Structure formats: structure tokens, C-alpha cells
Amino acid sequence: MTSRWITAAALAATLWACGGGQREVVVYTAHDQRLSEPILDLFEEETGIQALAVYDTEATKTTGLVNRLLAEADRPQCDVFWNNEIVQTLRLVREGVTQPHLSQNAAGIPAAFQDPEGHWTGFAARARVIVYNTALQPERPKIATYDDILRPPWARESGIALPLFGTTATHFALIHSQLGPEGTQRWLDSLTENGVQVLDSNGQVCDAVARGALRMGWTDTDDVAVAQAEGYPVAQVLPSSGMILIPNTVCMIDGAPHRAEARALIDFLLRADIEHLMASGPGRQIPLHAGVSPPRGVLRLQDETVLEVDWNAVADSFDAASELAARWAEAESLQ
Amino acid sequence: MTRGLPLRLVSGLGLLLLAALLVGPVISVALASLMRAEAPLSMPPALWLHSAVIAAVAVTVAVAVGMTIALWAAHVRTPSLRALITLAGAFPLVIPMYVHGMAMWQVSVRLGLYRELADEGPWSDLLVVGFVQGLRLSAFVHLITLAGWHSLHARWLEAGLLVGPRGFVRRRLLGPLLAPFVALAALLVAVISVTDVSIPLLFQVRSVIAMRLWWAHYAGLDPIGAWGAMVAPSLLVLAAVALITPPLWRRAAPLLSARRDPAEIPRGEGGQWLFALGGVIAVVLANGALIHLFVQITSLSLLAETFRANTGLISATVTTALGAAAVAMFAGGALALFLGDRGWRTVPPLLIALVFFTVPGFLWAVAAVSWWSAPGLRGDLYETGTVRWLVLGGRLLVIPAVILALAHARQSRTQREAALGLGWWHRWWGVVWPPLRRAAWVAYALVALMVIGDLDAAILMDLPGHTTLVVGLCNRLHISPRSPEVAMMAAVILATSLAMLALPAIVSGGWRRWREIR
Amino acid sequence: MSAPRISVAGVHLAFRRREVLRGFDLAVEPGACVGLLGVSGSGKTTALRILAGLERPQRGEVRIGDEIVTGDGVFVSPHRRGVGLVFQDLALWPHLTARGHLDLVARALGLSRAERRARVGEWLERCRLTSVARQRPDQLSGGEQQRLALARTLLPEPHVLLLDEPFAACDRPLVEDLKALVAEIHRGQHLTTLMVSHDWRDMEGLVDSVAVLEAGHVAVHGTAAQAMAHLADSPLGRFFRC
């Protein structure tokens, strides 16, 4: 008898899990769950549309969802993809997984951070920065380019993440698009020659700098923010030649089951006040809307030099760059 | 040994290797077509070597730890103590591999061990990875060895005690009798160790097969493909299984069909309680330390709050694990019963099921999503959310299949034949099922725990709006690994897992039977 | 060492509050063959296990020859008692062949390879197992299994032979065959033998005296006629096939 009740309860729970007649939108998000969840809650509160989210994790280098979207291309389940970077989004655009939506709320966002056809729009960015340990390096280092710390005299005490994943992969693809395959190979070889430490993620680089195992390294603004919030002696510095800005991107999936709701969510995410909210959060995202003034401690777009990046060229280079990085990393680890 | 054994052994191995050569590529090509493969990957021999080193270390550590705990549990006569040790030994399974790795990483960094070891060069990294994996995977060895122990007859060991001292009995009788079970567990550990990416990722060991596959998958080198790489691991695993299985089966079969009572080594000279208690404390501490060393649980109210705040995650986890375990149990159980008394012919289907298991979770899930998410009936079913049960359960069906096949083989054919006059339902429910109940419980527990901890597949299989605990935990872990919130989430996972373990026991009245048996 | 005297005095053993043996006393003279008769659950098997050292009683003393093997603060390991036990279910090792069984036992004695081969060959021959030496227990007939269990027990040349319902699962012709083998070995090896059964016919012609076990203690120990007389008066008599 007990077993029947439990079976019935399990079935009921499943039906409950699958059912529901409310308006809803399915969003896959590679943005940190802790940062994106409150924003989606706010969306639900304001619109009454239930946001059914699927989250990615750092453990899968936030590319698991891109692969899921590609796998689901013949029968999409997802309406909106909220990515925490741009290159994988461009990959989806090229695979024909997205459909255009030109949001009015994107008007204040610079043209460099949106697709003219509306397949994707950027918002709330992270910057690539150089993090340094203030105990080991009390003076703010003078850095002209990102590559400065990968050369003597700093190289042996510097670290970067493996250029296969996340924003470092994007950064590396940018290098590849500028230097070409041979130049990039030389760049990789110089890492070995100069003794640069290559760790697995930006988080690990920041952690190593925070603990004093490294003097400085490449990472993102949000990682520095987390380390500072935990009380570690770290600070960030931007190259004087300009910073690389990597925006969150949002796109609508082709064949989305809930189109109206998907548009509503994209419009919501692209609002200036949401950018302000994201700037105020622990991720300290940099607002792209011209009129948004971020809280103290967050970089202001107007005050900094931003490197102009041809993201399509970066996306073109991405696969070749990854292949190169993988082979280099493999060769390094086999030595 | 029978006279014709070497010839039979060689011909059997030859046939199995041939099957491996045929089956491996077929499965790989099938997966490749599902995954829209593009280009094969290179697999330098060094990658194989490194993976083999890690697997060897993992197997050594897992067998040493797992067998020790299993023999402790078997040695103790007090039922409550025995149950405690058994649970403690199984505990590492409750912790997802990634979380276990994070904990070990934190511990080793804090103690300064990791850097010291890592500075010794890449070989020490391999040893560290194998060691960390082996500690968690010891639970498999523990459970399977204990299952093996229960299939022994007390008199077999007593007959040995009459002719030789305890050490002789352990070495010459207990060891060989348990060998098939330990070998099976070691094989499982080796397979999981080779295909795991969590620990190599955390400890920055990049020159292993799993990482190469993982890079191919996640770095988009070979979009969703990696088929060329799949051929080689399939063949390796099949060859290894082909080498091990026939002798294993030959040794296990007479054990399983023999009459028996649960084995007991006679009481020791004294200090048994101290010995057992020491075992419990050591095991619980070793496992508990994994989580507690890098977090601080602050208060019960925070724990309650975490439970309240994560009811959605808990229900998603429970429904996913229950469904997947049910699918694995039904499919694996049906396979086991269908195979029945077919002797060596049970091996090829089980081998194929094992190959499915060796395919890394993320590749399996992507292939499955690609196939199910299509226009028409398949897609309709995919939208209901039930496919995740089929996919996760399908990958793990080898576990219940093997466990139930072993349990079924223990039942004498005449016992079943004696019930031929009964209807099929009464025969099944009254005769076939009761002896399988405990094995089914163990199989269910293993599958449910593995589903709960399977992060790679979770990303690809979670229903929209129904994130599972492991994803929730890993996201928090990434942001602030030392926060009380992470500790709370870990505690919630443990509690949910334990509740899931208790469920079938309550349903089947297993707990009452367990106590009766003791 | 010649056949020893066995004496058991005041043995008590309880399993979870259930008393199995209560003041169990028994003396078996050197070279004698004694039958222990009793209903199921009367403690026969437990008595044998205590003699063999597989159970430790809560109270009482067991002597084999002049040595106390179980007693107050004394416990001699089973393999040092010079005792051989044939289990009721035989307890053959399922993973070993007939030869493998005997070889393992010979190995425990520390014999050299040549000695082992000779000793194993001798016992295979004596118990008529040579033709099935490479078979595992599940490939042997009932009689062959019984003979293998006997051979395994006798190979170390024990001074005391304990038989626990040795013919329980055999038909009459086989029982007679095995009884002849046991009788031959008992006399030929100069053993002190204690045999447990619930069936008088299994003991008939084999034992010198019979002890009747009732409620955990020996009610009578004497000749077969005395035991039969006791059983005829006892309400338990109808349970024995006399």
C-alpha cells in the first residue's frame, strides 16, 4: 500500500514539475546564477511571465548551454539565450540558431556592441584587466598593453588562464585575429620561454594573485571584485592603450516556442535601469548605455579607452585559435 | 582448473577482442552521426599513458581503502555498527566528483601539499589526481566487495580455519573468493577514472584522454563531435574488459550458484569494539573532512533556511534522480532477467552496456539531446521532460544490470521452477523478486547517487526552471567556495541523497527485513 | 601422537539469550567412536563447533588429550587442535577443483611441492577421487562430494574426527558405502571420532557408544541398547528413526 502511495506521489510530483498554464519564457543563461537569478525574479515580478531558467556552471566553462542549443536546433526548447560573453553567441548566429529582434531599449547601447540585424545585443560588460597583489606590488604598475606582464621582468611572476575557455579564449582569439596563425604561435611560445604560469581559469589566476603565489595576471573585473569583497590585497590596472570590453549578450532563438515572452525578456534585460542594477551587484558589470552612471568602484565607459574590436573577425579566428591553444597546451603538459 | 581451459580461455579472449573491434567502431560511428561529427582528434600515446597511470593509482587507492572498510564492516557483528560502517564507506558517493575535488584541492592547498607535490613535475600531478579520484571511488570497491562478502558461505572460511591460521585463510581463501568482486570494482573504478574530467581539471592535469575529449567538446574545436577519439577509448575499454571478464565470470559463476549462509569470521581475541569504532571514526572523519575542512557550518537556522530556499532545486533533483533510477532499474533489471542463466552469453550485452557507461556524461547527453530533439514524436516526448530519465538512466543501466544479474544467478533455477504452477505475477512477486530486493536497493542507491552528482549531464538535461542541486552548488562554489552558503548547499545535497537512499528501503519494507536478518 | 581422549565439562553457550548448551558434559575415550544423537536444535552441531574451536562457550572446559583447548582464559586456535570436521553441508570451496582442495590443505601444512603432490595423490586415491581430481564441486556427484569433504578433513592427519550429519543427504546404498569408508579410516588412522546425527541408522555398526543430547545437555551416554532404552521412555523417542 505504501509503495502505491509513493508511486502516485512521484507521478504527481513529475506532472507538477512538467505542467502549468502560466505565461512563461525559457531562458538559458551562462551568466553566474547568483547574479542572474535576482534579475529574472524581478522580470517575473514586473511582467507576470514566469522565467524558466537553465543555468550553466563554471565547471563546464559555461559552454555547456551553447552545445545544448546546437543539439536542440531541430526542435528548440529555449526562447532566449543570455550569454556572459560574445563569441559563443556569434557561433550560434552562424549556425542559424538565432532569430533577429531589434529592441527599442538597445538604442542607448553603442553600435559596436550590437548586431545591425538584431540577432544579438550586448549589455553589461566585463573588462579584461590586470590584477596585481598590493602586498607584493604596492605601487600601481605602469602597463601599456596586456602583453607587458607576459614579458620580462614580470613574466615569471605573472599568470594567465588557459586560452581555451571563457574570456581568455576570446582574448586569445582577438590576438589570433590580429597576429595571424604564425604570430600567434610565436606568442604562445614566448609564454613558455618567459616562464608565464598558465592556470585553468581566470578565477584561479585571481586566486593565485590574491594568495601571493603570483604577483599579477590577466583576469576580469568581476573576479577582482569578488577577491576584493573577500578582503584579499588585490587591485586592478588597465593598459594605457585601451581595455578589452566583453559584454553579456542576449539573443532570441529561432523557432522559440514563446516569442512574445522572449521579446519581453530581451527588452527587459536591455533596459538602462537593469544595467545599473547589474553594475550595483557583486559582479560590478560595466554599463554600456550612454546615460547610466555606475556606482563607485565600477569602471565608467566614458572615462576609459576601449579597444575597438571587430567581433566577427574574432569569431572567425576562434576555432583556429582554440585548435592552436589546445595543441600548445597539450604539448606543454606533455613536456 | 579443467584441462581445456587455456585453449578455451585463448579462444574466448580472441572472440571477445574481435567483438570489441567490431562493436567499438560501430558504437563510435553511431555516436558520431548523432553528434554531427566533423573531424577526428589526435590522441598522442602519452595521453594514454598518463590516463593509465591515473587509473592505476585510482584503482590502487580505491581498492586499498574500499576493501579495508568493507572488511571492517564484514568483521563487525554488531548490526548497528556494521550498518554505520557500511554507510560511512558508501558516503563518498553522495559527494559529486567535482565537489569532492574542490574540497581536496582546498585542503591540499591549505596544507601546502599540493604545490609541493605539483612542483615535483607532471608525474606527481598524475599521482595526486589518481589519489583524489581513488578516495571517492573507494565507495564502489567498498560496496561491491561487501556484496561479494555476502555471497560467501560462512562454512567456506571455517573449513579453512580448521587447517590454517587466520592469515592463511585470508590470503589463500578469502582473497581468491573475493577476487572476482574486487576485480569488477577495480574495472569500474578504472573506467570512471579514465573518463572523469573534474579532477584533472581542478588539479590542472591536461595531458589525459578525458581532457582532450573535453577540450574538443567545450572549446568547440570539433563542434560536439570528437568521434575519432571515441573509437580508441571504446576499443581500449572493450579490450580491457575482454581480458578480464571471462576469467572473472568463470570464477564468479560457481561462487554464485553455490549454497551459502552469510559469512562471518569468528570473533577476534578482543578489542573488536575498539577496532570497529576506530574504523567508523576514521571513515566518517575522512569523508566528513572533505566538506567540513573548507567550509564552516554556522547554524541550524541557516540550514533550515537553505532547505526552504532550495525546495525547487530539491524537487527537481529528486524527480530527476527517481525517474532516472527507475528507468535504469527497469531496463537493467529486464536485461538481467532476460539474460537469466545464459552463462557466458550474458557477457556481450553487459559489455555493450558498459561501453555506454564509459562514454563521458557530456558526450552521451549531447548525443541524446541531438537525437531526441527532433520534429515529430521524438520531439514531443522530449518536451515532456521524461527524456532526461531515459538518457540518464540509459547510461547507467549497466549498474543494475550487473548487480541484478549477479543476484539472479545466485538464485537456484529449481527454486524458480518450483513455482511454475503459479501465474506469472505471483511467480515474479513471490519467488523471483524477494531475493533480488536487496540487490535492487543497492543498484537503485548507486544509480540515484550517480545521477545526483552528474554535473556534466545535468547542464544538458535539466528542465527549464528546474535546476538541480549539483548545478546550484557548483555555481555557488565557483563564486565563494568558503562561504557558509556552500556548506549549507552541500548539507542539503547530503540530506537529499540520504533521503533518496531511505525511500526504497521504506517502500520495500527492506529496513524491517534488514533488521530481521541481523 | 596417538588417539587422544576428549573431555567436555560444564559447557554453557547461549545465542542472544537462547541457551543452546546447558551444562554439556561428555567424555570420549581414546580411539573410540561415539555417536551424538539428538533432535534438531538440541545443540549437536554447536557441541561439535565448540570442540573444533569455531565457537567459544561462555562457561566450561574442553580438553583434547592432556591439553585444555577451551577454558577459563584459554583458547587454542582451530588449526592447532588436531581436529578435523566434516560439515553437514560439506562447505566445499566452489572455486577450487578436488585436487585444489587437497593442495590448499597440504599447503597449510607447509609441505614441499613434492610432498604435497604425493600426499594429495595418496588421498585422492584413498577416497576414489583420482578420476575427478580436476572437477569443481558443482561438477561432482553427491558421493564424490562427500568423499572429497572427508579427504580434505583427513589429509592433515587429525587425531580427532568430527562428523556433522555426514550422510544426511545420501541414499541408503551410498550411506553404507560411506560408512565403510569412515570405519576404515577411523581404525586405520587411530582416530577418536565423534559423529552427530538424528538418524540412528547412520551410526549403526559404526559407533562404540551413543550419547543422547536433550535440551542442551547429555541425558544418557552408554551403549546403543542403553540409549535406545532411554529414548523408548522419552517423549522425544518418536522423533528418532530407531
Side-chain angles (χ1 to χ4, degrees), chain A residues 8-314:
Chain A
L11 278 174
T14 309
L15 289 173
W16 171 74
C18 301
Q22 202 183 347
R23 283 183 79 196
E24 57 191 31
V25 58
V26 175
V27 52
Y28 289 4
T29 174
H31 194 56
D32 272 334
Q33 184 180 356
R34 203 177 69 159
L35 305 177
S36 54
E37 209 166 19
I39 306 235
L40 293 174
D41 289 345
L42 192 64
F43 169 75
E44 286 186 350
E45 207 174 291
E46 279 193 17
T47 62
I49 301 170
Q50 194 182 6
L52 302 174
V54 176
Y55 298 99
D56 214 327
T57 74
E58 175 68 10
T60 57
K61 299 295 177 190
T62 59
T63 50
L65 288 178
V66 173
N67 288 322
R68 180 165 171 173
L69 284 165
L70 288 169
E72 288 179 345
D74 293 339
R75 177 110 180 199
Q77 307 295 307
C78 173
D79 301 305
V80 173
F81 179 46
W82 172 1
N83 195 6
N84 63 352
E85 56 86 55
I86 183 168
V87 171
Q88 297 287 347
T89 307
L90 291 175
R91 191 175 143 202
L92 290 177
V93 173
R94 284 164 187 217
E95 293 281 340
V97 174
T98 59
Q99 65 171 309
H101 167 60
L102 288 164
S103 171
Q104 288 182 340
N105 293 345
I109 294 171
F113 295 109
Q114 49 182 307
D115 178 38
E117 291 176 21
H119 276 280
W120 60 271
T121 312
F123 65 109
R126 284 176 288 173
R128 296 287 289 161
V129 293
I130 287 153
V131 61
Y132 64 97
N133 185 304
T134 51
L136 298 173
Q137 176 74 37
E139 281 181 31
R140 188 184 177 85
K142 290 197 172 77
I143 308 281
T145 69
Y146 287 102
D147 283 0
D148 284 0
I149 66 160
L150 309 181
R151 299 182 190 124
W154 284 320
R156 291 203 172 274
E157 293 178 284
S158 297
I160 65 168
L162 189 68
L164 263 171
F165 306 111
T167 50
T168 311
T170 309
H171 192 156
F172 182 66
L174 171 61
I175 292 169
H176 188 276
S177 71
Q178 291 167 342
L179 302 180
E182 282 152 23
T184 310
Q185 184 61 55
R186 280 197 298 277
W187 186 89
L188 284 170
D189 292 341
S190 74
L191 293 182
T192 316
E193 285 160 19
N194 296 337
V196 174
Q197 299 278 324
V198 180
L199 307 178
D200 267 346
S201 68
N202 289 323
Q204 285 185 6
V205 170
C206 201
D207 197 42
V209 172
R211 285 184 290 106
L214 292 174
R215 184 182 289 262
M216 52 182 81
W218 284 8
T219 191
D220 297 334
T221 38
D222 58 336
D223 290 311
V224 180
V226 169
Q228 285 176 334
E230 288 187 0
Y232 285 107
V234 292
Q236 65 189 27
V237 59
L238 293 167
S240 55
S241 60
M243 66 174 172
I244 300 169
L245 214 53
I246 297 177
N248 277 273
T249 48
V250 63
C251 59
M252 190 152 106
I253 300 302
D254 190 27
H258 313 97
R259 289 186 193 195
E261 291 82 358
R263 287 191 197 102
L265 176 58
I266 293 174
D267 292 345
F268 175 84
L269 290 175
L270 296 178
R271 274 172 20 190
D273 59 323
I274 297 302
E275 272 209 312
H276 187 267
L277 196 66
M278 290 173 75
S280 313
R284 296 197 210 164
Q285 308 282 309
I286 303 160
L288 299 184
H289 273 95
V292 178
S293 63
R296 257 186 92 181
V298 179
L299 294 173
R300 284 167 59 96
L301 209 54
Q302 297 87 331
D303 301 344
E304 309 292 340
T305 313
V306 179
L307 283 178
E308 279 189 25
V309 177
D310 177 355
W311 289 114
N312 280 309
V314 174

Side-chain angles (χ1 to χ4, degrees), chain A residues 14 53 72 75 200 204 330, chain B residues 201 204 212 380 382 389 465:
Chain A
T14 309
E72 288 179 345
R75 177 110 180 199
D200 267 346
Q204 285 185 6
E330 203 171 273
Chain B
L201 189 70
Q204 298 176 38
R212 190 74 182 90
D380 292 342
Y382 182 68
W389 298 339

Side-chain angles (χ1 to χ4, degrees), chain A residues 2-4 6-7 10-11 13-14 16-19 25-28 31-35 37 51-77 88 91 95 160-162 164-165 197-201 203-204 207 211 213 222-223 226 230 232 257 318-330 332-335, chain B residues 36 38 40-44 46-47 50 98 105-106 109 115 122 200-207 211-212 214-215 217-224 312-313 315 319 322 366 369-386 388-389 455-456 458-467 470-476 478-482 485 503 506-508:
Chain A
T2 320
S3 61
R4 281 186 202 166
I6 290 186
T7 312
L11 278 174
T14 309
W16 171 74
C18 301
V25 58
V26 175
V27 52
Y28 289 4
H31 194 56
D32 272 334
Q33 184 180 356
R34 203 177 69 159
L35 305 177
E37 209 166 19
L52 302 174
V54 176
Y55 298 99
D56 214 327
T57 74
E58 175 68 10
T60 57
K61 299 295 177 190
T62 59
T63 50
L65 288 178
V66 173
N67 288 322
R68 180 165 171 173
L69 284 165
L70 288 169
E72 288 179 345
D74 293 339
R75 177 110 180 199
Q77 307 295 307
Q88 297 287 347
R91 191 175 143 202
E95 293 281 340
I160 65 168
L162 189 68
L164 263 171
F165 306 111
Q197 299 278 324
V198 180
L199 307 178
D200 267 346
S201 68
Q204 285 185 6
D207 197 42
R211 285 184 290 106
D222 58 336
D223 290 311
V226 169
E230 288 187 0
Y232 285 107
F318 192 81
D319 284 356
S322 294
E323 182 69 39
L324 212 58
R327 298 213 183 284
W328 173 80
E330 203 171 273
E332 283 296 299
S333 58
L334 290 175
Q335 273 179 3
Chain B
R36 302 186 220 146
E38 286 176 6
L41 292 170
S42 68
M43 280 282 179
L47 296 190
H50 289 184
Y98 183 77
W105 189 79
Q106 291 279 356
V109 166
R115 264 303 123 205
L201 189 70
L202 283 165
F203 286 84
Q204 298 176 38
V205 170
R206 295 159 187 158
S207 54
M211 282 301 283
R212 190 74 182 90
W214 199 75
W215 284 350
H217 179 62
Y218 282 120
L221 296 181
D222 176 10
I224 322 175
L313 272 63
S315 76
T319 49
L322 270 181
V366 168
V369 172
S370 298
W371 194 79
W372 284 101
S373 143
L377 193 64
R378 269 185 287 167
D380 292 342
L381 197 61
Y382 182 68
E383 281 187 359
T384 64
T386 48
R388 72 192 197 283
W389 298 339
L455 176 67
D456 287 332
I459 303 290
L460 290 145
M461 304 309 304
D462 272 1
L463 291 182
H466 296 278
T467 306
V470 65
V471 175
L473 175 63
C474 286
N475 278 325
R476 287 165 173 84
H478 166 57
I479 293 170
S480 45
R482 288 172 286 273
E485 196 187 1
L503 185 66
I506 295 165
V507 171
S508 66

